[in-house]
Amino acid sequence: MALHLVKLCVGCDSLEDLAAWIDFRLEECRANGVVPEQFHTTRMVPKRQAELLDGGSLYWVIKGNIQARQRLLEVRTFTGEDGIGRCHLVLEPKVIPTVWQPRRAFQGWRYIADEEVPQDDRAGTGGGMQALPVELRRELAALGLI
């Protein structure tokens, strides 16, 4: 059974913001002649990598709700210029919307078991949320109503 990670998506107010950021970074790689690859850098290196890479995903918490996931492809450890160990969580660039699931704020990332993750939003409704205009969703999330 797969193991997953959950992480706050700092700086994004919506699923659309996340997708735009990913597109921007991939285009930036292409423009600089670098192989386009989407990754997230984190200081803490997951110890349970084999379980994560056996079909696991990184679930993004946006405005207090898990709203999307990206499949984990690789965990690449490295040491930064400051001598501190870090890792790149290499992700499939495709963002998969999920049914919204409330999450309180936390630092770093957390493991999340397969039975605890929200279902993919195959209907494209976000549990009804994706049907709302982006600005309305942002405002309702800022008010803590969704």
Side-chain angles (χ1 to χ4, degrees):
M1 186 151 46
L3 184 66
H4 309 278
L5 295 176
V6 62
K7 176 138 184 44
L8 298 182
C9 191
V10 179
C12 288
D13 289 333
S14 69
L15 206 54
E16 292 79 7
D17 284 349
L18 175 60
W21 173 248
I22 292 167
D23 290 343
F24 171 79
R25 291 298 306 257
L26 293 175
E27 190 53 43
E28 191 176 54
C29 288
R30 287 183 198 97
N32 291 326
V34 178
V35 175
E37 179 177 73
Q38 205 251 319
F39 59 87
H40 178 76
T41 305
T42 182
R43 190 166 156 203
M44 300 303 292
V45 179
K47 304 281 188 256
R48 299 170 69 182
Q49 293 179 30
E51 292 170 89
L52 290 170
L53 298 176
D54 186 25
S57 292
L58 176 61
Y59 282 80
W60 289 112
V61 177
I62 303 171
K63 292 292 185 181
N65 290 285
I66 294 177
Q67 294 186 29
R69 71 178 179 91
Q70 289 180 272
R71 195 166 65 87
L72 280 161
L73 301 177
E74 186 179 353
V75 177
R76 211 178 283 149
T77 58
F78 67 97
T79 302
E81 292 177 13
D82 55 5
I84 296 174
R86 292 185 172 79
C87 77
H88 289 311
L89 301 173
V90 182
L91 305 166
E92 184 175 90
K94 180 181 179 188
V95 177
I96 302 166
T98 64
V99 173
W100 287 24
Q101 184 183 81
R103 281 288 158 151
R104 292 182 188 255
F106 58 91
Q107 290 186 342
W109 50 261
R110 301 283 186 268
Y111 290 114
I112 184 170
D114 212 31
E115 60 272 3
E116 298 174 48
V117 298
Q119 294 181 351
D120 289 351
D121 182 15
R122 299 193 192 285
T125 62
M129 299 302 143
Q130 292 298 91
L132 298 173
V134 175
E135 289 303 318
L136 180 58
R137 277 187 280 141
R138 285 180 182 163
E139 192 170 331
L140 290 171
L143 293 169
L145 298 174
I146 58 172

